[in-house]
Amino acid sequence: CFGASSESAFVESQGLDRNILKNLEIAVAEGFVDKINDQYRFAHDRIQEAAYNTIPAHRRCIIHFKYGIELSSLLIGDEDVITSVLFTAVNQLNLGGPPAVQDVSHYITAARLNLRAGKKAMEMSDYETAYSYFDSGISFLRKKHWQEHYALSLELYSLVAKCALTNGDHTSLKFLIAEVAAKAHFFEDKLDVLYFETCALAYSSRLAESIEKGLDILSKLGIEVRGTNVKARVQETKDLLSPHTDDEILNSKPMTDSTMIIAMKFLGKLEIGMNHLMPKSLPYVTFKIIELSLTHGMSPLSPLGFAK
């Protein structure tokens, strides 16, 4: 179940079936398994395949899932060890899949562990693997999961959508956006996937649509960046900045309002897009970036406004 090889220390540390090491030693004596520097390895991949196939398919799934659950109870201690065990545990759960679940509480356990593994893969910039974990996590969700496990469902769908965008999988992204748009309880809960949609439009050479979409979403948040008097808006920006010294701006508090943080992402995307298609409208975006930064705190995108 754990692949072609495993270290004895790993088997001992996981507290699994105590007969495993004894049986491995018998396999070594029979020539089916090699033992090199405390690592057990099948003598040939055909032996591994034959051994694996002696277990009925439905039983293999149950065993994989059982080992995954047992391993998941050991996610404590050194971070590097935790990461290794986490990936091993979740891979075992996913090899078993939803049909292997015998305790209904384990559906949500598996979904949450996949969420955790996906986040860890994202930290490593492995978005394809992260997508796989999030997608598997979603597969463990049961009917009515949007009602019964709303926060978990929203996070899994939002993060798998981010991975789909990063991986260039716009077909899956379209489906995921539609799902969140239909099931999210609040408009603010849709903002992440709507931002991914504007990004996908821009990346697909549909920049005008991306800009219009961003403007519409910001308007629904009460943030208007349209206007007709550019000169007046430039003066408003100067007036807004005049009471503040450079040191005050540099030492401003960080932005913490989650809605404003995502609004800044939309503004940043507009700043880039309008620079290409609507340069005369840029002062309206710049003003809002500065205004929100001075009112709600600085975000990583605030420099886009102050640099103008």
Side-chain angles (χ1 to χ4, degrees):
C1 286
F2 292 113
S5 65
S6 183
E7 294 183 4
S8 59
F10 175 81
V11 177
E12 291 175 335
S13 69
Q14 306 316 312
L16 300 174
D17 189 337
R18 293 180 181 179
N19 290 322
I20 289 179
L21 287 177
K22 180 180 178 181
N23 291 334
L24 283 172
E25 290 295 339
I26 293 173
V28 170
E30 295 290 336
F32 297 118
V33 173
D34 295 328
K35 183 179 181 182
I36 303 173
N37 297 326
D38 284 333
Q39 183 181 69
Y40 295 95
R41 180 181 296 276
F42 279 102
H44 194 281
D45 56 1
R46 288 297 180 86
I47 296 175
Q48 178 190 359
E49 182 181 349
Y52 190 68
N53 287 335
T54 61
I55 308 171
H58 73 281
R59 182 61 185 162
R60 289 201 298 263
C61 291
I62 292 172
I63 292 172
H64 280 303
F65 195 85
K66 176 175 177 282
Y67 281 150
I69 289 296
E70 290 184 4
L71 285 171
S72 71
S73 66
L74 302 167
L75 295 173
I76 54 175
D78 181 82
E79 185 62 29
D80 290 338
V81 174
I82 289 176
T83 298
S84 176
V85 174
L86 173 64
F87 287 144
T88 302
V90 176
N91 289 340
Q92 290 294 309
L93 293 174
N94 295 342
L95 283 170
V101 177
Q102 296 179 308
D103 180 338
V104 292
S105 68
H106 288 164
Y107 283 115
I108 296 304
T109 298
R112 287 183 174 140
L113 285 168
N114 270 285
L115 175 64
R116 185 174 172 183
K119 287 180 175 179
K120 181 60 68 173
M122 287 179 71
E123 289 176 13
M124 299 173 176
S125 299
D126 187 350
Y127 284 86
E128 290 189 3
T129 299
Y131 181 96
S132 176
Y133 284 132
F134 295 138
D135 190 51
S136 293
I138 288 171
S139 75
F140 281 101
L141 297 175
R142 301 295 86 191
K143 291 181 179 179
K144 297 184 179 180
H145 63 88
W146 280 105
Q147 291 84 4
E148 297 172 1
H149 301 283
Y150 178 75
L152 174 62
S153 300
L154 182 64
E155 191 169 13
L156 277 168
Y157 273 88
S158 296
L159 289 175
V160 77
K162 182 175 183 178
C163 292
L165 173 67
T166 304
N167 297 336
D169 184 358
H170 291 181
T171 300
S172 296
L173 178 61
K174 186 176 181 180
F175 163 77
L176 294 164
I177 291 169
E179 178 73 5
V180 176
K183 301 296 175 59
H185 295 174
F186 308 102
F187 180 68
E188 288 76 8
D189 290 344
K190 304 175 186 180
L191 290 176
D192 279 333
V193 297
L194 292 176
Y195 174 72
F196 302 148
E197 183 177 18
T198 63
C199 292
L201 288 169
Y203 300 155
S204 302
S205 300
R206 298 162 65 184
L207 191 53
E209 292 178 61
S210 175
I211 290 172
E212 192 58 37
K213 184 84 177 178
L215 290 170
D216 180 61
I217 292 166
L218 287 169
S219 180
K220 289 178 180 177
L221 292 174
I223 301 171
E224 294 294 342
V225 290
R226 295 180 174 94
T228 56
N229 193 332
V230 174
K231 186 175 180 180
R233 184 43 53 99
V234 171
Q235 186 58 49
E236 286 182 64
T237 303
K238 291 179 180 178
D239 294 341
L240 185 65
L241 285 169
S242 61
H244 302 277
T245 66
D246 290 346
D247 284 342
E248 286 175 339
I249 293 172
L250 289 171
N251 293 300
S252 296
K253 64 181 181 180
M255 188 176 287
T256 56
D257 185 313
S258 59
T259 301
M260 291 299 103
I261 290 171
I262 189 66
M264 289 288 284
K265 290 184 178 181
F266 280 105
L267 288 167
K269 183 60 66 177
L270 283 176
E271 183 91 7
I272 296 169
M274 286 183 167
N275 191 47
H276 288 87
L277 293 187
M278 306 163 61
K280 290 184 179 180
S281 297
L282 274 178
Y284 296 100
V285 180
T286 301
F287 175 83
K288 277 299 172 183
I289 290 175
I290 293 173
E291 182 183 47
L292 293 182
S293 297
L294 293 177
T295 304
H296 297 282
M298 296 294 161
S299 91
L301 292 164
S302 295
L304 284 175
F306 290 98
K308 295 296 180 181

